[in-house]
Amino acid sequence: MAGARGHDLAALRGLNTGVVLRALRRESPQTVSQLARATGLSRPTVEALVDELVSQGWIAETGSSPAGTPGRPARRLRFRAEAGHVVGVDIGLRKIVLVLARLDGEVVAREREDIAEELSGAERIELLRGRLRRFLVERNLRAEAVWAVGIGVPGMVDDTGRIRSVIVPEWTDLDLARRLADEFPCPVLVENDVNLAVLAEHWQGAATLADDVACVLVGRRISCGLMINGKLHRGRRGGAGELGILPQLGLDAAQMWLAWDGERIAGESETDALARAVRAGDRGARAVLDGYLAGVAPGIAALVLALDPELLVLSGALAPVGEALGPLLTDHLRPLTLHVPRIAVSALGREGVALGAVRRALDALDAHLPYGTGPLRPSPAP
C-alpha cells in the first residue's frame, strides 16, 4: 500500500508540474501568486514546483516585480521557449516549405523551394531528408535540438500514419515517419496537408474565433479539412473531407476549369498568373475564375450541407485572388444550400500547411508535459 501511495503522489506531482508548465507556456512571465491563481494550486505547491523546474532548465526567472510595487519583490518566471524547437514541413507535388519554431510557437526561420514535379517517391524522401538536414545545419542546430517534426503531405493519412496518395502514387502505403526515424530521435507526425491548413487557420489565421470550420483547398486539387468544436475532425480512418475523390461531384475536373492562357511573368505558375490578373481587373481572368467556382460549388455545397460550419475558409493556390473569392463563391452556393456560411480567404500565404505542421508538433509536445520533466538537453540558439 505504501508503494502504491508513493506512486500516486509521484503521478500527482507530475500532473501538477504539467499544469504549471502549460500555464507559463500560455502566458509568460508570471509571478508565483499569479501561477497559483491560474492553476488552482496552493502557493507552497507552486513554489516547490517552480524551484524544481528552474533547476531543471524548464523555466527561468526574469527579475523582480516592476519598481513601485508594494511589499517584497515577487519572482517573475517564464517558460524557456528557446530550450527546444519544432519543425513544420509542407511537401507537395511542386514545392517544399520548412518552418522552424520555438516551443512557444514563435517562428524563427522559414524556407521555401520549388521542386520537380516528376520526382519519384524515393527521390522525394531523399530530398526531404537533405533539405531538413541542411535547414538545421545552416541554423547551427543538431537534430537532437528538435523536439518534434510535423509533416504535411498531399494525401489521406490513416490512424497508423500510412499515406494514401493519388498525388504521389508511390507514397501510397508509405509510413513516412518510420522512414525518417533514423534522422530524428523525436516524434515525427505525418498528416494530410489540408488538415494542417485548418489547424493553422484556427491557430493564427482566419478561423481564430470560430470552432466549427471547413477549410477548402481551392486550386487544381480540391480537398477539405474539418474542425468541429475546436478540434480537428479526421474521421475514423483519416478520410474526412476528401470530397475530391468522388467523381459524381465533378471536383476532379478542377484542373480543366482553371485553364488560363493569359500573360505570365517568368517563373509564375498558371494559378498565380490568374490570381494576379483577377486582382488587376482582367475580365477574362475573372470569367475563368467564375467558371471554376461554378464547377466546384456543388462539391462545396455538399460539404456545407453535411457540416453546417460557422465559417468556410478558402485556402490553397487561389487564395492570392483575395476577398473577391468570397462573393463569387457565395453567388454559386446560394441556390444549392439552405444558407451560405461566412466565407473568409486565408491570409497565411504559402506557409499555411507548414504552420499547421508546427501547431501539430506543439500539440504533441503538450501531451507529454505532465511527465516530461527532467533536466533539459542543451539546445544551441538559432
Side-chain angles (χ1 to χ4, degrees), residues 158-370:
D158 66 22
D159 54 2
T160 71
R162 293 186 175 275
I163 302 169
R164 178 182 174 186
S165 177
V166 296
I167 306 298
V168 186
E170 291 175 322
W171 275 16
T172 292
D173 205 34
L174 171 70
D175 186 342
L176 183 58
R178 189 169 185 177
R179 294 289 293 271
L180 295 174
D182 61 335
E183 195 81 23
F184 292 94
C186 68
V188 177
L189 309 142
V190 181
E191 182 58 89
N192 168 263
D193 54 4
V194 74
N195 283 349
L196 295 179
V198 75
L199 284 181
E201 296 296 338
H202 190 252
W203 180 30
Q204 51 184 244
T208 54
L209 300 179
D211 284 339
D212 292 314
V213 182
C215 181
V216 180
L217 197 72
V218 285
R220 296 186 175 282
R221 166 180 162 238
I222 303 292
S223 187
C224 312
L226 309 176
M227 179 167 284
I228 300 175
N229 293 328
K231 295 184 178 180
L232 179 67
H233 180 70
R234 303 182 71 256
R236 182 64 178 269
R237 299 173 183 83
E242 291 291 342
L243 297 179
I245 67 173
L246 189 62
Q248 289 84 348
L249 292 176
L251 297 178
D252 54 346
Q255 183 165 335
M256 176 187 67
W257 294 324
L258 272 181
W260 167 244
D261 58 1
E263 180 184 355
R264 292 165 63 174
I265 299 172
E268 191 176 45
S269 71
E270 192 173 29
T271 50
D272 285 343
L274 176 64
R276 177 177 51 79
V278 171
R279 293 195 306 270
D282 186 295
R283 292 185 179 181
R286 190 178 179 91
V288 169
L289 178 64
D290 190 56
Y292 168 85
L293 293 174
V296 302
I300 296 177
L303 177 70
V304 169
L305 288 169
L307 184 63
D308 190 20
E310 61 179 298
L311 177 67
L312 180 66
V313 179
L314 303 179
S315 182
L318 287 178
V321 167
E323 294 305 316
L325 275 176
L328 286 174
L329 180 59
T330 296
D331 289 343
H332 294 296
L333 289 179
R334 191 171 284 119
L336 303 176
T337 61
L338 296 175
H339 70 274
V340 179
R342 183 164 59 93
I343 298 176
V345 180
S346 175
L348 296 180
R350 298 174 183 269
E351 292 182 1
V353 172
L355 285 173
V358 166
R359 182 68 263 169
R360 177 72 180 85
L362 293 172
D363 290 343
L365 293 180
D366 277 343
H368 295 286
L369 277 182

Side-chain angles (χ1 to χ4, degrees), residues 60-243:
E61 294 192 40
T62 63
S64 302
S65 298
T69 303
R72 181 181 177 183
R75 301 165 69 190
R76 292 170 62 79
L77 304 142
R78 67 176 181 86
F79 179 77
R80 291 190 63 242
E82 73 278 12
H85 298 83
V86 299
V87 177
V89 182
D90 172 17
I91 181 162
L93 186 62
R94 302 179 183 88
K95 58 48 170 96
I96 180 170
V97 181
L98 303 171
V99 172
L100 179 71
R102 307 189 321 166
L103 298 182
D104 59 357
E106 180 184 340
V107 173
V108 294
R110 45 175 55 87
E111 183 177 290
R112 185 187 189 279
E113 178 185 347
D114 293 330
I115 60 178
E117 182 176 339
E118 60 272 13
L119 286 176
S120 69
E123 288 170 335
R124 285 176 187 277
I125 294 175
E126 290 311 305
L127 180 139
L128 176 58
R129 284 178 182 275
R131 295 301 183 271
L132 279 168
R133 192 182 302 119
R134 186 185 71 185
F135 186 60
L136 296 177
V137 167
E138 289 177 347
R139 286 149 187 90
N140 194 32
L141 287 176
R142 302 184 304 271
E144 290 77 12
V146 177
W147 289 23
V149 178
I151 303 176
V153 297
M156 187 181 87
V157 180
D158 66 22
D159 54 2
T160 71
R162 293 186 175 275
I163 302 169
R164 178 182 174 186
S165 177
V166 296
I167 306 298
V168 186
E170 291 175 322
W171 275 16
T172 292
D173 205 34
L174 171 70
D175 186 342
L176 183 58
R178 189 169 185 177
R179 294 289 293 271
L180 295 174
D182 61 335
E183 195 81 23
F184 292 94
C186 68
V188 177
L189 309 142
V190 181
E191 182 58 89
N192 168 263
D193 54 4
V194 74
N195 283 349
L196 295 179
V198 75
L199 284 181
E201 296 296 338
H202 190 252
W203 180 30
Q204 51 184 244
T208 54
L209 300 179
D211 284 339
D212 292 314
V213 182
C215 181
V216 180
L217 197 72
V218 285
R220 296 186 175 282
R221 166 180 162 238
I222 303 292
S223 187
C224 312
L226 309 176
M227 179 167 284
I228 300 175
N229 293 328
K231 295 184 178 180
L232 179 67
H233 180 70
R234 303 182 71 256
R236 182 64 178 269
R237 299 173 183 83
E242 291 291 342
L243 297 179

